[in-house]
Amino acid sequence: ILVLLGVITLFSSMRSVNTGQVGVVTQYGRVTGRELGEGFSWVLPWGINNVTVYDVKNQKEEVQSNAATKDLQDVGGTIVINYQLNRGEVSKMHKEVGKEYKDKLVTPALNEVFKAATAKYNASELITQRAEVKNDVYEGLKSRLEKYGIQVLDVSITSFNFSKEFNAAIEAVQIANQNVARARQELETAKVEEEKKVAEAEGAAEAQRLQQQTLTQELLTKQYLEKWDGKLPATMSGNATPFIHVK
């Protein structure tokens, strides 16, 4: 019997903790502050000490949350947090929150921080200033969770979902902008075509003027030659040259 009791005592005193886990030791339900690392450890037997195991590897939590923007537009979002429990602070987590810390602390924090962040922006700003919104959510989660020994590694907002009315309004604005851009392009094209026509008309007019000038000169020369008696002037003064230029 003594041997059997010894064996039972031995096994009830031994605890195994896997890699990436921490064991929180309690004594009659009270947190002792002792945390067991990976491997085998010894505790007081016969139920005097109990061990609650926590995962301290990187963890992921994803929630769907609904909120309202600064301009009172309904918005839904998918928020993803990557986090881990800090070794040495898990006993505090166990004492203040408990094993259900995800449901009691992480998920509510995600919802509340998302609502607080989106309320600072108009609906359109959530799209154009997504990085700022993400940073607000990240800082809000750090403020809420790190005091419990939860280290926030990263936060992502994978989507924003707006009401049908807002989506229709956004689509209408995009269509209007496309129409304005198309109208501007057509106006520029028409302007270029008009300038081209004006230039062509001016070129044609100049060519016609030069042609008329040439014809006039030729006509005057012809008329002079028809009336010339074939005699050159007997004398010419200075550097005067005949006014008829013969090529």
Side-chain angles (χ1 to χ4, degrees):
I1 295 176
L2 292 176
V3 173
L4 180 61
L5 288 175
V7 171
I8 294 173
T9 300
L10 177 66
F11 277 99
S12 66
S13 301
M14 187 169 56
R15 293 291 184 275
S16 175
V17 177
N18 295 328
T19 301
Q21 294 181 331
V22 165
V24 176
V25 180
T26 58
Q27 185 167 320
Y28 298 122
R30 182 178 61 84
V31 176
T32 64
R34 181 187 175 195
E35 295 182 4
L36 306 181
E38 293 99 336
F40 289 101
S41 300
W42 299 99
V43 296
L44 296 177
W46 304 106
I48 297 174
N49 283 160
N50 285 309
V51 178
T52 304
V53 177
Y54 283 84
D55 194 339
V56 292
K57 298 189 295 293
N58 291 354
Q59 301 184 64
K60 175 182 176 181
E61 184 77 4
E62 178 178 315
V63 300
Q64 305 284 335
S65 186
N66 295 311
T69 62
K70 186 178 180 181
D71 53 350
L72 304 181
Q73 293 287 340
D74 293 330
V75 58
T78 302
I79 310 99
V80 181
I81 178 176
N82 290 285
Y83 67 96
Q84 65 182 19
L85 304 183
N86 292 328
R87 295 177 182 272
E89 299 183 68
V90 183
S91 293
K92 179 181 179 181
M93 165 69 72
H94 184 77
K95 180 179 180 180
E96 297 183 359
V97 183
K99 188 71 173 177
E100 299 79 19
Y101 65 92
K102 288 185 180 181
D103 294 333
K104 291 182 178 180
L105 187 60
V106 178
T107 299
L110 281 169
N111 281 300
E112 292 173 14
V113 168
F114 178 73
K115 293 178 188 296
T118 55
K120 296 166 58 178
Y121 299 87
N122 293 331
S124 59
E125 292 173 339
L126 292 181
I127 302 172
T128 59
Q129 301 181 33
R130 191 167 186 146
E132 288 82 351
V133 179
K134 173 186 173 180
N135 186 66
D136 286 346
V137 173
Y138 175 76
E139 292 298 332
L141 288 172
K142 283 183 61 178
S143 175
R144 286 175 176 266
L145 299 181
E146 290 193 350
K147 59 186 176 183
Y148 293 100
I150 299 177
Q151 181 182 0
V152 180
L153 302 175
D154 189 30
V155 173
S156 300
I157 302 176
T158 59
S159 66
F160 282 120
N161 303 307
F162 299 98
S163 65
K164 293 182 179 178
E165 293 77 10
F166 181 78
N167 288 333
I170 291 294
E171 184 177 358
V173 170
Q174 291 175 339
I175 292 174
N177 289 338
Q178 290 172 358
N179 290 337
V180 169
R182 187 180 302 111
R184 286 177 177 170
Q185 182 62 38
E186 292 174 352
L187 181 61
E188 288 296 324
T189 301
K191 183 178 178 182
V192 170
E193 290 296 328
E194 183 63 25
E195 291 176 349
K196 180 179 178 182
K197 289 179 181 179
V198 171
E200 290 176 350
E202 290 177 348
E206 178 64 16
Q208 186 177 7
R209 186 185 66 80
L210 292 174
Q211 184 179 17
Q212 290 176 347
Q213 183 179 3
T214 302
L215 291 174
T216 300
Q217 182 65 31
E218 290 177 352
L219 180 59
L220 291 174
T221 302
K222 181 176 178 296
Q223 291 176 350
Y224 176 80
L225 291 175
E226 288 177 350
K227 296 179 180 181
W228 184 42
D229 57 3
K231 297 179 180 180
L232 295 174
T235 60
M236 290 184 290
S237 61
N239 296 322
T241 58
F243 64 89
I244 297 176
H245 177 66
V246 180
K247 293 183 180 180

